[in-house]
Amino acid sequence: MKRTLKSRPEPALLLAFGAHPDDIEFGCGGVIAQETRAGRAAHFVICSRGEAASHGTPRKRVAEARKSAALLGATLEFVELDGDAHLEVRAAHAIKLAGVIRRVKPGVVLAPSLVGNQHPDHARLGRIVRDAARLARYGGVAELRRSPPHEIGQLYYYAVTPEAEPLDMTPVLIDISTPEVVAAWTSAMQAHASQASARNYVELQLARARLRGLRAGISHAMALFPNDPPVLDSLAALSRGARRF
Amino acid sequence: MKRTLKSRPEPALLLAFGAHPDDIEFGCGGVIAQETRAGRAAHFVICSRGEAASHGTPRKRVAEARKSAALLGATLEFVELDGDAHLEVRAAHAIKLAGVIRRVKPGVVLAPSLVGNQHPDHARLGRIVRDAARLARYGGVAELRRSPPHEIGQLYYYAVTPEAEPLDMTPVLIDISTPEVVAAWTSAMQAHASQASARNYVELQLARARLRGLRAGISHAMALFPNDPPVLDSLAALSRGARRF
Amino acid sequence: MKRTLKSRPEPALLLAFGAHPDDIEFGCGGVIAQETRAGRAAHFVICSRGEAASHGTPRKRVAEARKSAALLGATLEFVELDGDAHLEVRAAHAIKLAGVIRRVKPGVVLAPSLVGNQHPDHARLGRIVRDAARLARYGGVAELRRSPPHEIGQLYYYAVTPEAEPLDMTPVLIDISTPEVVAAWTSAMQAHASQASARNYVELQLARARLRGLRAGISHAMALFPNDPPVLDSLAALSRGARRF
Amino acid sequence: MKRTLKSRPEPALLLAFGAHPDDIEFGCGGVIAQETRAGRAAHFVICSRGEAASHGTPRKRVAEARKSAALLGATLEFVELDGDAHLEVRAAHAIKLAGVIRRVKPGVVLAPSLVGNQHPDHARLGRIVRDAARLARYGGVAELRRSPPHEIGQLYYYAVTPEAEPLDMTPVLIDISTPEVVAAWTSAMQAHASQASARNYVELQLARARLRGLRAGISHAMALFPNDPPVLDSLAALSRGARRF
Amino acid sequence: MKRTLKSRPEPALLLAFGAHPDDIEFGCGGVIAQETRAGRAAHFVICSRGEAASHGTPRKRVAEARKSAALLGATLEFVELDGDAHLEVRAAHAIKLAGVIRRVKPGVVLAPSLVGNQHPDHARLGRIVRDAARLARYGGVAELRRSPPHEIGQLYYYAVTPEAEPLDMTPVLIDISTPEVVAAWTSAMQAHASQASARNYVELQLARARLRGLRAGISHAMALFPNDPPVLDSLAALSRGARRF
Amino acid sequence: MKRTLKSRPEPALLLAFGAHPDDIEFGCGGVIAQETRAGRAAHFVICSRGEAASHGTPRKRVAEARKSAALLGATLEFVELDGDAHLEVRAAHAIKLAGVIRRVKPGVVLAPSLVGNQHPDHARLGRIVRDAARLARYGGVAELRRSPPHEIGQLYYYAVTPEAEPLDMTPVLIDISTPEVVAAWTSAMQAHASQASARNYVELQLARARLRGLRAGISHAMALFPNDPPVLDSLAALSRGARRF
């Protein structure tokens, strides 16, 4: 009765959703860099062109996103929903993103956290992706009948800002201490020049990763928040915890 | 600045603390069986002889514990604190158990959960072990100066009963679906004949592990609750989550 | 100033809402069986025909629901909202279900829990029903003016799966240990043959009820989660708590 | 496999513990009055003479407690532990109170809540009583061997002040709207004249019960917090919830 | 790098949103009275005319709201969204209210709390206002381009009823003990005669403020719940806490 | 009925308790610097000489503490309890510290947070201080009869490390962006040379304060966690919240 996952290529593709062109980079870019360096394919789905932001035109922001994804070794596509600052939680959106999941067939999915007190698009996209991951495996959804159901392995949330970190989930910390990983991530954030120049976003994220690293006794770390309890065959991979001070 | 853990033998020893002779088996025996089968050494420290229970003499219970540990492939020792149903949270106890940790040099430590609404000895031992794991790495504790400080990798809590499962920590689930593992664990629980015959303890624990297994789409699983966020180099080991229904 | 509830027939009707044809049975079927056996009328309102599921046609699922409700001694009607996997939280839906409540005049209402990490239709229906129960007693809602306001006694949530159990509400446990009750409930779940054959749903629910029963020192029990603190004239009915091990 | 509770007299005695002479009255006196009026016996165990308070001598406070208990129809005894403002959580205290429980054989036990941010004696006594209720049914506790184990039905917490109400438990509200009950409770509080004259304790408690009553659509109500989920044979007794505005 | 707030008039205007004509008065009217007495301007935005209530015509309720606002020293406008009992969380609503914020330029904004178990319009308006406060400062929202972005200082939630008080935020208590303030607030509540006569709303709110006052050792107090941690230059203003009994 | 606080000198003294010689500096040193610069007197009570740490002799650590306190403009005394790594929660300790509070007569008290997963002495000292602040105002505690009761204004918790930040309290952030304040704080931390040289404590704390500052749109900020809701006469001092990104 063991669940066999053989049909999935190893390591399975990582699929990250972002509400705006820079959310993935600021929220979990270091993890992406770490994973693609280890040979895992990563794909970004961006659900607006950031057209409501104070800085940067949509055209410029799309270009920044393409450059940034390339720096992280990820592919990228845009899937428009309601537009920046206009996103609503609609069943049709979840079905649309479920179709993306069926097409891309990821192992792990990343989405912005569900914490309400952040940019309203973030939490809403998180809820839509959570629903999409479920609908992707239901056989009878009429709009999706052309593509076979797909069951993802796990859904993790990332927090674009510290305020968005969920307090009711124990995170897992990914050690991104390799200098090349930090450098690639930093470059990817800086590629969003229209945003990075307006406020101290890059410094904020590096300080956040450095603080987590210091707590774990390493250089830098980023947190991901699992939607469901992780299942493992052994404690071997889980023998290190973040408690240094 | 990577934290090097080279001095630790691999896989590092698993050290489990129990307040009574049967707590470890009922609370996380399946995980012990799974780990020892995979070649990891396990050691039990039992802090009373169960002398306050309604059934079984201390002498009988010690014998049951020895038999059960052997069935799980673990070594065992008794370290008396205040006695069954008399345990208090004392600094001297934490220092004593920190001395055990320095001697045994575990990678992962297991302790009963901190949830208050269970046998009072359970939560108190959990708190004492948490403190002990910290004191084990402080160089200046006078009583411990003869043994060098030791830093454990991670502390996990197990829940002897469902009521003792912490609601504020995301558990990790260990897949114990191999029939031999379930069989070894069941035998180990039954070895505590004085307790198992009095109430439906064995059925309770198997139903609990089965229910978790069904939720994860596998046969049986047991939950452990990490004291600190797990730190990993990659998401590869964390690609499976428990969401099946 | 005592609130008089005399106009309500005793025992007042039980009204259960389900998002899909089998949700009520899997989530609280044992309680329904227990209550109808004690002479209380029960009525089911099903808000989709389960057309998005991997298994079973809508026609087949409607037939299964009718058979199952009959086995539990309940009447049944279908009230379509947005369709399976398409439900959204709309004010119009709450008003529609408030109309049902005004027509059926229940004492106790049952709805799926509000926990977000389950089938998206479940939590949304729970929120719609919570709002509906409130709108049912407001005199000025234009769409409802033809039927007199009705104030329910209490709203309880049921959890279709263990993941859907709310952690922030103390449940009440209904003792369903009578063998005939467990048998009727089991038959009702098995009547949903299209679903029960695909995954281990029936075993999951029985294990869940058995585990709760073992914790309470009885055979089987099911949990309901009160939306508001229960009000009683005396502690006499509340003299038994679930703590056995 | 039904748990038979036949050996218990009906309705079983109510046993309330208080850290100081007036805690029970201020925290749950209305419930006591309601229950004794309905024919249930109530017994108070007071664990200090209030000797650390700003007002009232121990002798005076003992007299006030006796008068107040009589007004509520309850019997009373003093069981000294460490003294007012000196209480510590000791295993010996839990064993001592377990002995009281074995002697008194209550169905329901009442104790101050576990919330830490109140008079330190309150939360500590709550923890001691919780442990005592468990030790009372363990057969092997040496100090208790002379009296047979006793299993209580349920443990409820009361909150001496609003700050002490636990936020993580759904309370049950007892309707104490009968004027004679409110009057008896008020008299009992006023009997603690040394305390009631110093601060607005009586007004505070009446305002609290009135506020709860208004929320439930009745005159006055008091909250109790169940240590474990209540177990019932039917929803019939639980058909009323507190949601009026 | 200090954030300069010089462009804001001092004390900056207080902007309160209400879903129905009486929500602001019942939920935080005492604070409004306190602030306007101290010379701060206050403005109310009411998002329905209360047309779904059991009592009072829309025309009557608008008149009551105007009278009540005048008693509190506040100005008032109506901004219709979906209508009473029909409110939904739509991006267009948040953008509309963001436009109001840009026009009114408040320092502090007040909105109903996000707790779901209350009148459905309340929590939804709270979420819409939270989003509106954010959108008000994004430069690129097309619908808002005609008015310059505005950054508010802080968002506080008020609770129309005790059930609506958030348990996961530490409130701040505003001391409204001045008799004239309590009198003005009471008059403002009574001005909503169509509602106040139907149920004990005024008594409920006064009892609530009195209970909070008693806990803080003063006459009356009202709680507000900050959406984000307050930032201060000194502890001087925060030297008084509510712990009296 | 206004609570008059006239007998207290303005601004009232700040009293900070630390379990070890460097806890106050690392946990809230920036706030101390900010307050003493504003003319408020500050006094430190250190409850051990740090004799269990891996680095630094007790003599050296006492000297470091004296130097550091001077840099922050605070006075200092040592009050021994059980010794470093040996602290237990005893009523006698709370009474001893209550005596200190009666002698020093502070307005605001600072203590380490109650979060259990940190150095065991920290959380225990926090609990002892919370109790001490209460006992300080009870007139009848025999050991304290020689000094008149004293009622503090507010108790705040500081977190020595990020792990120790309570998740269930909304913090207040003190803006410490003045360069001289950051400099004084940094010097005070560096004065604990025996500790600062062993691990990256100073970098950790500065990164923490910088991250909080960035979130609030200022340079640096530190969080304090109020034990009880703050009480204010007006919202004027609370018009700024931390939400910048």
Side-chain angles (χ1 to χ4, degrees):
Chain A
M1 195 167 166
K2 279 234 162 184
R3 181 145 56 122
T4 53
L5 303 169
K6 280 168 200 161
S7 59
R8 215 176 277 163
E10 283 297 347
L13 182 139
L14 195 66
L15 173 60
F17 288 91
H20 308 101
D22 55 347
D23 289 348
I24 298 170
E25 283 83 347
F26 286 118
C28 62
V31 175
I32 303 292
Q34 173 85 356
E35 296 291 321
T36 57
R37 257 172 196 262
R40 187 191 281 247
H43 183 67
F44 293 175
V45 172
I46 315 291
C47 298
S48 84
R49 290 169 299 136
E51 61 271 19
S54 301
H55 304 278
T57 62
R59 177 188 295 259
K60 185 170 173 42
R61 300 202 63 187
V62 167
E64 291 171 350
R66 293 201 188 282
K67 181 179 168 192
S68 171
L71 285 165
L72 293 174
T75 53
L76 170 148
E77 71 181 292
F78 283 82
V79 174
E80 288 284 331
L81 299 176
D82 293 316
D84 185 4
H86 290 72
L87 188 60
E88 296 188 350
V89 177
R90 298 179 194 278
H93 293 341
I95 292 170
K96 192 173 190 178
L97 298 191
V100 172
I101 290 172
R102 287 193 182 188
R103 169 165 48 84
V104 174
K105 297 184 179 53
V108 166
V109 170
L110 303 178
S113 84
L114 307 177
V115 173
N117 192 21
Q118 54 175 327
H119 191 303
D121 294 348
H122 294 174
R124 284 183 190 142
L125 182 61
R127 289 164 63 195
I128 292 168
V129 172
R130 181 177 62 181
D131 292 349
R134 210 173 277 269
L135 298 182
R137 64 179 171 78
Y138 293 159
V141 183
E143 298 89 332
L144 298 172
R145 279 209 179 112
R146 269 174 295 183
S147 52
H150 175 75
E151 187 174 337
I152 70 165
Q154 173 69 290
L155 168 63
Y156 285 97
Y157 299 109
Y158 62 84
V160 180
T161 56
E163 288 75 13
E165 295 173 10
L167 300 182
D168 58 346
M169 295 174 177
T170 305
V172 297
L173 302 187
I174 302 300
D175 180 347
I176 58 162
S177 299
T178 315
E180 296 79 29
V181 167
V182 175
W185 175 39
T186 305
S187 300
M189 288 192 288
Q190 288 167 337
H192 292 279
S194 65
Q195 308 304 304
S197 63
R199 290 186 175 185
N200 311 66
Y201 287 113
V202 177
E203 184 191 0
L204 175 78
Q205 300 301 349
L206 289 173
R208 190 152 70 116
R210 175 66 178 141
L211 189 55
R212 273 198 212 285
L214 284 165
R215 290 161 71 173
I218 54 181
S219 169
H220 289 78
M222 294 195 88
L224 293 177
F225 300 85
N227 188 53
D228 296 286
V231 182
L232 293 104
D233 288 323
S234 157
L235 281 170
L238 288 172
S239 298
R240 188 154 58 121
R243 190 169 65 163
R244 185 68 176 171
F245 284 93
Chain B
M1 196 169 169
K2 280 237 161 182
R3 181 145 57 123
T4 52
L5 303 168
K6 281 168 199 160
S7 59
R8 214 177 278 161
E10 280 300 345
L13 184 138
L14 195 66
L15 173 61
F17 288 91
H20 309 101
D22 53 349
D23 289 348
I24 298 170
E25 283 83 347
F26 285 118
C28 61
V31 174
I32 303 291
Q34 174 83 356
E35 296 291 322
T36 56
R37 254 168 202 265
R40 187 191 280 249
H43 184 65
F44 293 175
V45 171
I46 315 291
C47 298
S48 83
R49 290 169 298 135
E51 61 271 21
S54 302
H55 305 278
T57 61
R59 175 189 297 259
K60 182 169 175 43
R61 298 202 65 187
V62 167
E64 291 172 349
R66 295 199 185 284
K67 181 178 168 194
S68 172
L71 285 166
L72 293 174
T75 53
L76 172 149
E77 70 182 292
F78 283 82
V79 173
E80 287 285 331
L81 300 174
D82 292 316
D84 185 5
H86 291 70
L87 187 61
E88 297 187 350
V89 177
R90 299 179 193 279
H93 294 339
I95 291 169
K96 192 174 191 178
L97 298 192
V100 172
I101 290 173
R102 289 194 179 186
R103 168 165 47 83
V104 174
K105 298 182 179 52
V108 167
V109 170
L110 302 177
S113 85
L114 308 177
V115 173
N117 192 20
Q118 54 175 328
H119 190 304
D121 293 349
H122 294 175
R124 285 182 188 142
L125 182 60
R127 290 164 63 193
I128 293 167
V129 172
R130 181 177 63 180
D131 291 349
R134 209 173 278 268
L135 298 182
R137 64 179 170 79
Y138 293 158
V141 183
E143 298 90 330
L144 298 171
R145 281 217 177 105
R146 266 174 298 182
S147 50
H150 174 78
E151 186 173 339
I152 70 165
Q154 174 67 292
L155 167 64
Y156 285 98
Y157 299 108
Y158 62 85
V160 180
T161 58
E163 288 75 15
E165 295 174 10
L167 300 182
D168 58 347
M169 295 175 177
T170 306
V172 296
L173 303 188
I174 302 299
D175 180 347
I176 59 163
S177 299
T178 314
E180 297 78 29
V181 167
V182 175
W185 175 38
T186 306
S187 299
M189 289 193 287
Q190 288 166 338
H192 292 280
S194 65
Q195 308 305 305
S197 63
R199 290 187 175 185
N200 311 66
Y201 287 114
V202 178
E203 184 191 358
L204 175 79
Q205 300 301 350
L206 288 174
R208 191 151 70 117
R210 175 65 178 141
L211 189 55
R212 274 199 210 283
L214 284 166
R215 291 163 70 172
I218 53 180
S219 168
H220 290 77
M222 295 194 88
L224 294 177
F225 300 85
N227 188 54
D228 296 287
V231 182
L232 293 104
D233 288 322
S234 157
L235 282 170
L238 288 172
S239 298
R240 191 155 54 121
R243 189 169 64 161
R244 185 69 176 169
F245 285 93
Chain C
M1 195 167 168
K2 279 235 163 183
R3 181 146 56 125
T4 53
L5 302 170
K6 281 167 198 161
S7 59
R8 216 175 278 163
E10 281 297 346
L13 183 138
L14 194 67
L15 174 60
F17 288 91
H20 308 101
D22 54 348
D23 290 348
I24 299 170
E25 283 84 346
F26 286 118
C28 61
V31 175
I32 304 291
Q34 173 84 356
E35 295 291 321
T36 57
R37 255 168 200 264
R40 186 191 279 249
H43 184 65
F44 293 175
V45 173
I46 315 291
C47 298
S48 84
R49 291 169 298 136
E51 60 271 19
S54 301
H55 305 277
T57 63
R59 176 187 297 259
K60 183 170 173 42
R61 299 202 63 187
V62 167
E64 291 171 350
R66 293 200 188 283
K67 181 179 169 193
S68 171
L71 286 165
L72 292 174
T75 53
L76 170 149
E77 71 181 291
F78 282 81
V79 174
E80 287 285 332
L81 299 175
D82 293 316
D84 185 5
H86 291 71
L87 188 60
E88 296 188 351
V89 177
R90 299 179 193 279
H93 293 340
I95 292 170
K96 192 174 190 178
L97 298 191
V100 172
I101 290 172
R102 288 193 182 188
R103 169 165 48 85
V104 174
K105 297 183 178 54
V108 167
V109 170
L110 304 178
S113 85
L114 307 177
V115 173
N117 192 20
Q118 54 174 328
H119 190 303
D121 294 348
H122 295 175
R124 285 182 189 142
L125 183 60
R127 290 164 62 195
I128 293 167
V129 171
R130 181 177 63 181
D131 291 349
R134 209 173 279 267
L135 298 182
R137 64 180 172 78
Y138 294 159
V141 183
E143 298 91 329
L144 298 172
R145 280 211 178 110
R146 269 175 294 184
S147 52
H150 175 76
E151 188 174 337
I152 70 164
Q154 174 68 291
L155 167 63
Y156 285 98
Y157 299 109
Y158 62 85
V160 180
T161 57
E163 287 75 14
E165 294 174 10
L167 300 182
D168 58 348
M169 295 174 175
T170 306
V172 296
L173 302 188
I174 302 300
D175 180 346
I176 58 162
S177 299
T178 315
E180 296 78 31
V181 168
V182 175
W185 175 38
T186 306
S187 300
M189 289 193 286
Q190 287 167 338
H192 291 281
S194 66
Q195 307 306 303
S197 63
R199 289 186 176 185
N200 311 66
Y201 287 113
V202 178
E203 184 191 0
L204 175 78
Q205 301 300 350
L206 289 173
R208 190 152 70 118
R210 176 64 179 141
L211 188 56
R212 273 198 211 284
L214 285 165
R215 289 161 72 173
I218 55 181
S219 169
H220 289 78
M222 293 195 89
L224 293 176
F225 300 85
N227 188 54
D228 297 286
V231 181
L232 293 106
D233 288 323
S234 156
L235 281 170
L238 289 172
S239 298
R240 189 155 57 119
R243 189 170 65 163
R244 187 66 177 170
F245 284 94
Chain D
M1 195 165 169
K2 280 235 161 184
R3 181 144 55 124
T4 53
L5 303 168
K6 281 167 200 161
S7 57
R8 216 176 276 161
E10 281 298 345
L13 183 139
L14 196 66
L15 173 60
F17 289 89
H20 310 100
D22 53 349
D23 290 346
I24 298 170
E25 284 83 346
F26 285 118
C28 62
V31 175
I32 304 291
Q34 174 84 355
E35 296 290 322
T36 57
R37 258 172 197 261
R40 186 191 281 248
H43 183 65
F44 293 175
V45 172
I46 314 292
C47 299
S48 84
R49 289 169 300 137
E51 60 271 20
S54 301
H55 305 277
T57 61
R59 175 189 297 259
K60 182 170 174 42
R61 298 201 65 184
V62 167
E64 291 171 349
R66 294 201 186 282
K67 181 179 169 192
S68 172
L71 285 165
L72 293 174
T75 53
L76 171 148
E77 70 181 292
F78 283 83
V79 173
E80 288 284 332
L81 300 175
D82 292 316
D84 185 6
H86 291 71
L87 187 61
E88 297 187 352
V89 177
R90 300 179 192 278
H93 293 340
I95 292 169
K96 192 173 190 178
L97 298 191
V100 173
I101 290 172
R102 289 193 181 188
R103 168 165 48 83
V104 175
K105 298 182 179 52
V108 167
V109 170
L110 302 177
S113 84
L114 308 177
V115 174
N117 192 20
Q118 54 175 328
H119 190 304
D121 293 350
H122 295 175
R124 285 183 188 141
L125 182 61
R127 290 164 63 194
I128 293 168
V129 172
R130 181 177 64 181
D131 291 349
R134 208 173 277 269
L135 298 183
R137 63 179 171 80
Y138 294 158
V141 183
E143 298 89 331
L144 298 171
R145 280 216 176 107
R146 267 174 297 183
S147 51
H150 175 76
E151 186 173 340
I152 71 165
Q154 174 67 291
L155 167 63
Y156 285 98
Y157 299 108
Y158 62 86
V160 180
T161 58
E163 288 74 15
E165 295 174 10
L167 300 182
D168 58 347
M169 296 175 175
T170 305
V172 296
L173 302 187
I174 302 300
D175 180 347
I176 59 162
S177 299
T178 313
E180 297 78 30
V181 167
V182 175
W185 175 38
T186 305
S187 300
M189 289 193 287
Q190 289 168 336
H192 292 280
S194 65
Q195 308 304 304
S197 63
R199 290 186 175 187
N200 311 67
Y201 287 113
V202 177
E203 185 191 359
L204 175 78
Q205 300 301 350
L206 288 174
R208 190 151 69 118
R210 176 62 179 143
L211 189 56
R212 273 197 211 284
L214 284 165
R215 290 162 70 172
I218 54 180
S219 169
H220 289 76
M222 293 195 89
L224 294 176
F225 299 85
N227 188 54
D228 296 286
V231 181
L232 294 104
D233 288 323
S234 157
L235 282 169
L238 288 172
S239 299
R240 191 156 54 122
R243 189 169 66 161
R244 184 69 176 170
F245 285 93
Chain E
M1 196 166 167
K2 276 233 164 185
R3 180 144 58 122
T4 54
L5 303 170
K6 281 167 199 162
S7 59
R8 216 176 277 162
E10 281 298 345
L13 183 139
L14 195 66
L15 173 60
F17 288 91
H20 308 102
D22 54 348
D23 290 348
I24 298 170
E25 284 83 347
F26 285 118
C28 60
V31 175
I32 304 291
Q34 174 84 356
E35 296 290 321
T36 57
R37 259 171 195 260
R40 185 190 281 249
H43 183 65
F44 293 176
V45 172
I46 315 291
C47 298
S48 83
R49 290 169 299 136
E51 61 271 19
S54 301
H55 304 278
T57 62
R59 176 188 298 258
K60 185 170 172 42
R61 300 202 63 186
V62 167
E64 291 171 350
R66 294 201 186 282
K67 182 179 168 192
S68 172
L71 286 165
L72 293 174
T75 53
L76 170 149
E77 71 181 291
F78 282 81
V79 174
E80 286 286 330
L81 299 176
D82 293 315
D84 185 5
H86 290 72
L87 188 60
E88 297 188 350
V89 177
R90 299 179 194 278
H93 293 340
I95 292 170
K96 193 174 191 178
L97 298 190
V100 173
I101 290 172
R102 288 193 181 187
R103 169 166 47 85
V104 174
K105 297 182 179 52
V108 166
V109 170
L110 303 178
S113 84
L114 308 177
V115 173
N117 191 21
Q118 54 175 328
H119 190 304
D121 294 348
H122 295 174
R124 284 181 191 143
L125 182 61
R127 290 164 62 194
I128 292 168
V129 172
R130 182 178 61 181
D131 292 349
R134 210 173 277 267
L135 297 182
R137 64 178 170 80
Y138 294 159
V141 183
E143 299 89 331
L144 297 172
R145 279 209 179 113
R146 268 174 297 183
S147 51
H150 175 76
E151 188 173 337
I152 70 165
Q154 174 68 289
L155 167 63
Y156 285 98
Y157 300 108
Y158 61 84
V160 181
T161 56
E163 288 75 16
E165 294 174 9
L167 301 181
D168 58 347
M169 295 175 177
T170 306
V172 296
L173 302 188
I174 303 299
D175 180 346
I176 58 162
S177 299
T178 315
E180 296 79 29
V181 168
V182 175
W185 175 39
T186 305
S187 300
M189 289 193 286
Q190 288 167 338
H192 292 279
S194 66
Q195 308 304 305
S197 63
R199 290 186 176 185
N200 311 66
Y201 287 113
V202 178
E203 184 191 0
L204 175 78
Q205 300 301 349
L206 289 173
R208 191 151 69 117
R210 176 65 178 141
L211 189 55
R212 274 200 210 283
L214 284 165
R215 290 161 71 172
I218 55 180
S219 169
H220 289 77
M222 294 195 88
L224 292 177
F225 300 84
N227 188 54
D228 296 287
V231 181
L232 293 105
D233 288 323
S234 156
L235 282 170
L238 288 173
S239 299
R240 189 155 57 121
R243 189 168 67 162
R244 187 67 177 170
F245 284 94
Chain F
M1 195 166 168
K2 279 236 160 181
R3 180 144 58 122
T4 53
L5 304 168
K6 280 167 201 160
S7 58
R8 214 176 278 161
E10 282 300 346
L13 183 138
L14 195 66
L15 173 60
F17 288 91
H20 309 101
D22 54 349
D23 289 347
I24 298 171
E25 284 84 346
F26 285 118
C28 63
V31 175
I32 303 292
Q34 173 84 357
E35 296 291 321
T36 56
R37 256 170 197 263
R40 186 190 281 249
H43 184 65
F44 293 174
V45 172
I46 314 292
C47 299
S48 83
R49 290 170 298 137
E51 61 270 21
S54 301
H55 304 277
T57 62
R59 176 189 296 258
K60 181 170 175 43
R61 299 203 64 187
V62 167
E64 291 171 349
R66 293 200 186 282
K67 180 179 169 193
S68 172
L71 286 166
L72 293 174
T75 52
L76 172 148
E77 71 182 290
F78 282 83
V79 174
E80 288 285 331
L81 300 175
D82 293 315
D84 185 5
H86 292 71
L87 187 61
E88 296 187 351
V89 177
R90 300 179 193 277
H93 293 339
I95 292 169
K96 192 174 192 179
L97 298 191
V100 172
I101 290 172
R102 289 194 180 187
R103 168 164 49 83
V104 174
K105 297 183 180 52
V108 167
V109 170
L110 303 178
S113 84
L114 308 177
V115 173
N117 192 20
Q118 55 176 326
H119 189 304
D121 293 349
H122 295 174
R124 284 182 189 142
L125 182 61
R127 291 164 63 193
I128 292 167
V129 172
R130 181 177 63 180
D131 291 350
R134 209 173 277 269
L135 298 182
R137 64 179 171 80
Y138 294 158
V141 183
E143 297 90 330
L144 298 171
R145 280 215 178 107
R146 269 174 297 183
S147 51
H150 175 76
E151 186 173 338
I152 70 165
Q154 174 67 292
L155 167 64
Y156 285 98
Y157 299 109
Y158 62 84
V160 181
T161 57
E163 289 73 16
E165 295 174 9
L167 300 183
D168 58 346
M169 295 174 176
T170 305
V172 296
L173 303 188
I174 302 300
D175 180 347
I176 58 163
S177 298
T178 314
E180 297 77 32
V181 168
V182 175
W185 176 38
T186 305
S187 300
M189 288 192 287
Q190 288 167 338
H192 292 279
S194 66
Q195 309 304 304
S197 62
R199 289 188 176 185
N200 311 66
Y201 286 114
V202 178
E203 184 191 0
L204 175 79
Q205 300 301 349
L206 288 173
R208 190 150 72 117
R210 175 64 178 142
L211 189 56
R212 273 197 211 284
L214 284 166
R215 291 162 69 171
I218 53 180
S219 169
H220 289 77
M222 294 196 89
L224 293 176
F225 300 85
N227 188 54
D228 296 287
V231 182
L232 293 105
D233 288 323
S234 156
L235 281 170
L238 288 172
S239 298
R240 190 155 55 122
R243 189 170 65 162
R244 185 68 176 169
F245 285 94

